[in-house]
């Protein structure tokens, strides 16, 4: 049957829909000149995130009580609640500091909880800000350089509207202007004690999971328009933060941190490369638009994954096989080498491995994971990749987002009675390793 133009157009539209018409990211055009980036001795660090670690520390009837979008999303029943305690890193920061000293890291990344410092729009909690300043000062006094994350997935509850999810978080009309004010205040307060700033942690992964995958707040499912819009806003917010930080202190370093799994192409499971291309775009679209506004690229690497629709629906069952983590992620140290080479070639910037880790109940497996990934980092360095630091995720077993408390990534765990952190064998291993290898 000959194709009439209407049928042909419908067929073409169906084809485009089926393949998603998702093209791979375009090659990145590096700017002619890059700022020289001095980082001194190799950064052996570790990290936490405000919402994963801080206890609430404020009574519910206090004028300074606050909630995040994640609290509300949990109240709606979509994810397990975090509870009020987490790892007590707000009221008992001293125990975290003591463990950091014991391990011997020279850098530590922690986050600011935006909702805590601005519990109502335009109302700032100066005592909370002062406490964050105190933390940075104490770290420095202990010879540990603070690295401060301004946004690690959570928004103040007043930017989240459960009845209007398409106007929540990055899509809330007030988000950019409130962000500008928040960042300005944090940079003014912490600037004298902090030289390394992370405006956003893994915006790329968060955007796909929250505005397309539906798993994280605001929970928008299969909404490419929202994803596109939220990405644009997030990029603008990143660039705004970078301008503020550099404007205040031209010597400060801005690090953009991205979730960069090693996506594997399967011709059988994804013949049109629809999923593969989409995942490449997830890795690089945001970074392509922000790279010139950062000094360092933070690579968060955990696993390899076959890019296929099936793989997103049927997840391998946790740690059943020795090659998978508690979260069902495929362990692939060589994948780190491949990601490092790709990022280095694409952007030509110094890299920090800002997160690398495994949720597992076996400390033996955790140590093997770190050892094998550090070996791949060394291999990449020998290939000429400019790597400035390595941060195992994470200092303490903590709240693992939509998984609740079901994953043990920590180098330590909290002893709630003694209110101290107990070094796991992996924490002891890391301590001995960095002591023996000040440079990798
Ligand atoms: C995030 C952490 C998270 C870790 C393990 C990264 O995506 O930055 O907050 O806990 O991966 O899933």
């Amino acid at each position: 049957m000959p194709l009439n133009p209407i049928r042909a157009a419908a067929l073409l539209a169906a084809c485009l829909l089926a393949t998603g018409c998702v093209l791979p990211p375009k090659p990145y055009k590096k700017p002619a000149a890059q700022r020289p980036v001095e980082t001194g001795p190799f950064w052996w660090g570790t990290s936490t995130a405000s919402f994963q670690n801080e206890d609430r520390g404020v009574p519910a009837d206090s004028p300074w009580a606050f909630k995040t979008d994640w609290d509300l999303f949990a109240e709606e029943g979509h994810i397990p609640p975090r509870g009020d305690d987490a790892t007590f890193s707000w009221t008992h920061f001293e125990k975290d500091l003591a463990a950091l000293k014991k391990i011997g890291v020279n850098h530590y990344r922690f986050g600011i909880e935006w909702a805590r410092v601005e519990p109502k729009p335009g109302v700032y909690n100066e005592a909370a800000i002062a406490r964050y300043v105190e933390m940075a000062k104490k770290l420095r006094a202990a010879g540990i350089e603070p690295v401060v994350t301004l946004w690690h997935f959570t928004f103040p509850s007043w930017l989240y509207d459960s009845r209007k999810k398409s106007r929540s978080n990055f899509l809330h009309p007030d988000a950019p202007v409130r962000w500008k004010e928040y960042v300005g205040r944090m940079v003014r307060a912490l600037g004298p004690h902090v030289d390394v700033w992370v405006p956003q942690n893994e915006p790329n992964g968060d955007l796909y999971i929250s505005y397309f995958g539906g798993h994280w707040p605001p929970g928008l499912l299969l909404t490419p328009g929202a994803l596109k819009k939220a990405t644009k806003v997030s990029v603008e917010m990143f660039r705004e933060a970078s301008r503020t930080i550099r404007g205040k202190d031209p010597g400060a370093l801005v690090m953009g941190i991205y979730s960069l799994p090693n996506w594997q192409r399967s011709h059988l499971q994804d013949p049109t490369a629809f999923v593969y291309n989409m995942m490449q775009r997830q890795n690089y679209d945001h970074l392509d638009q922000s790279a010139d506004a950062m000094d360092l690229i933070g690579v968060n690497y955990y696993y390899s994954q076959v890019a296929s629709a099936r793989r997103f629906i049927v997840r391998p069952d946790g740690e059943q096989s020795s090659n998978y983590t508690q979260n069902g992620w495929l362990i692939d140290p060589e994948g780190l080498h491949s990601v490092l080479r790709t990022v280095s070639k694409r952007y030509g910037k110094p890299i920090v491995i800002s997160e690398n880790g495994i949720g597992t109940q076996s400390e033996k497996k955790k140590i093997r994971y770190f050892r094998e990934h550090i070996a791949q980092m060394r291999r990449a360095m020998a290939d000429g990749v400019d790597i400035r630091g390595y941060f195992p995720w994470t200092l303490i077993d903590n709240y693992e987002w939509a998984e609740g408390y079901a994953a043990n990534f920590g180098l330590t765990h909290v002893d709630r009675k003694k209110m101290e952190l107990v070094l796991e064998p992996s924490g002891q291993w890391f301590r001995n390793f960095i002591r023996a290898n000040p440079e990798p």
Side-chain angles (χ1 to χ4, degrees):
M1 187 173 58
L3 275 183
N4 68 37
I6 296 175
R7 264 182 83 85
L11 210 74
L12 182 67
C15 266
L16 291 180
L17 267 178
T19 62
C21 195
V22 179
L23 300 172
K26 290 196 192 115
Y28 177 75
K29 282 203 198 95
K30 289 185 212 136
Q34 309 252 27
R35 287 207 322 172
V37 179
E38 290 303 326
T39 51
F42 194 79
W43 297 3
W44 290 114
T46 187
S47 313
T48 52
S50 50
F51 192 71
Q52 291 177 279
N53 293 79
E54 288 179 2
D55 45 330
R56 190 89 47 193
V58 200
D61 57 356
S62 150
W64 301 117
F66 66 92
K67 277 190 184 174
T68 71
D69 56 327
W70 279 76
D71 293 308
L72 299 185
F73 204 57
E75 282 171 19
E76 288 166 23
H78 302 298
I79 50 166
R82 183 202 61 158
D84 281 341
D85 297 343
T87 67
F88 301 94
S89 294
W90 179 252
T91 51
H92 293 77
F93 171 73
E94 299 297 333
K95 69 176 187 343
D96 299 4
L97 183 60
L100 291 165
K101 287 198 221 164
K102 238 188 247 171
I103 297 172
V105 291
N106 55 25
H107 282 68
Y108 175 56
R109 177 163 74 100
F110 68 98
I112 308 282
E113 191 64 70
W114 183 1
R116 184 190 290 284
V117 301
E118 192 182 0
K120 293 188 190 79
V123 177
Y124 281 85
N125 182 343
E126 294 300 335
I129 298 173
R131 181 151 177 80
Y132 282 122
V133 171
E134 205 53 38
M135 289 179 185
K137 280 164 94 173
K138 284 185 174 161
L139 285 162
R140 271 212 170 148
I144 301 168
E145 201 50 33
V147 177
V148 170
T149 312
L150 293 168
W151 175 85
H152 196 131
F153 303 157
T154 48
F155 287 87
S157 56
W158 43 264
L159 286 174
Y160 178 82
D161 185 342
S162 47
R163 283 155 311 154
K164 284 199 213 120
K165 301 219 168 194
S166 58
R167 282 167 71 86
S168 286
N169 298 355
F170 282 123
L171 297 177
H172 192 291
D174 295 344
V177 63
R178 298 269 31 112
W179 168 256
K180 184 174 176 180
E181 167 87 16
Y182 157 70
V183 172
R185 283 180 182 251
M186 292 311 106
V187 172
R188 272 199 303 279
L190 282 130
H193 318 286
V194 174
D195 281 339
V196 191
W197 295 90
V198 178
Q200 298 169 342
N201 176 75
E202 297 188 350
N204 63 327
D206 174 276
L207 285 158
Y208 270 77
I209 304 173
S210 309
Y211 301 83
F212 193 73
H215 290 303
W216 289 4
L220 295 175
L221 182 63
L222 303 180
T223 43
L227 172 64
K228 197 168 168 201
K229 205 168 148 203
T231 303
K232 189 165 175 269
V233 175
S234 163
V235 166
E236 277 162 14
M237 284 164 66
F238 181 95
R239 300 187 68 87
E240 173 62 43
S242 169
R243 269 196 300 276
T244 304
I245 294 160
R246 288 174 168 178
K248 167 90 183 44
D249 176 3
L253 297 174
V254 175
M255 174 152 67
I257 291 190
Y258 289 82
S259 155
L260 296 170
N262 180 42
W263 295 105
Q264 295 169 349
R265 170 90 169 89
S266 161
H267 291 274
L268 210 66
Q269 295 182 42
D270 181 34
T272 62
F274 164 56
V275 183
Y276 180 75
N277 286 345
M278 193 153 105
M279 293 302 103
Q280 293 302 311
R281 300 202 70 131
Q282 171 179 319
N283 275 19
Y284 299 117
D285 272 1
H286 192 291
L287 183 47
D288 283 355
Q289 297 169 68
S290 316
D292 63 303
M294 64 186 75
D295 302 292
L296 294 155
I297 298 181
V299 169
N300 287 1
Y301 176 83
Y302 288 89
Y303 59 88
S304 276
Q305 186 171 319
V306 173
S308 80
R310 189 183 162 275
R311 179 60 188 80
F312 279 103
I313 300 161
V314 188
R315 268 188 146 196
D317 228 359
E319 286 203 274
Q320 302 234 330
S321 130
S322 64
N323 221 20
Y324 286 89
T325 74
Q326 269 171 323
N327 317 50
W329 295 342
L330 175 66
I331 301 169
D332 178 16
E334 291 199 5
L336 172 63
H337 177 257
S338 157
V339 165
L340 290 170
R341 285 192 54 132
T342 307
V343 172
S344 169
K345 196 161 156 226
R346 189 171 176 85
Y347 301 100
K349 280 187 184 280
I351 291 173
V352 170
I353 299 173
S354 39
E355 283 183 29
N356 176 232
I358 173 173
T360 176
Q361 290 197 315
S362 157
E363 281 295 304
K364 230 168 120 190
K365 193 165 164 182
K366 201 182 277 179
I367 293 169
R368 193 187 77 203
Y369 181 98
F370 287 136
R371 193 180 280 133
E372 290 178 357
H373 283 77
I374 290 174
Q376 293 298 327
M377 171 182 84
R378 285 173 161 160
R379 186 175 150 218
M381 290 171 97
D383 293 345
V385 178
D386 181 0
I387 301 175
R388 308 292 180 92
Y390 177 88
F391 290 56
W393 180 265
T394 175
L395 175 63
I396 318 166
D397 280 345
N398 59 9
Y399 176 74
E400 178 53 20
W401 305 109
E403 322 278 326
Y405 286 93
N408 306 87
F409 280 92
L411 298 174
T412 73
H413 69 264
V414 189
D415 177 331
R416 298 167 78 102
K417 270 206 198 112
K418 293 194 189 145
M419 221 16 116
E420 64 181 35
L421 298 186
V422 181
L423 257 60
E424 300 284 359
S426 56
Q428 294 167 18
W429 176 84
F430 190 55
R431 177 195 61 197
N432 296 341
F433 184 85
I434 62 184
R435 209 177 270 168
N437 299 274
E439 289 295 321

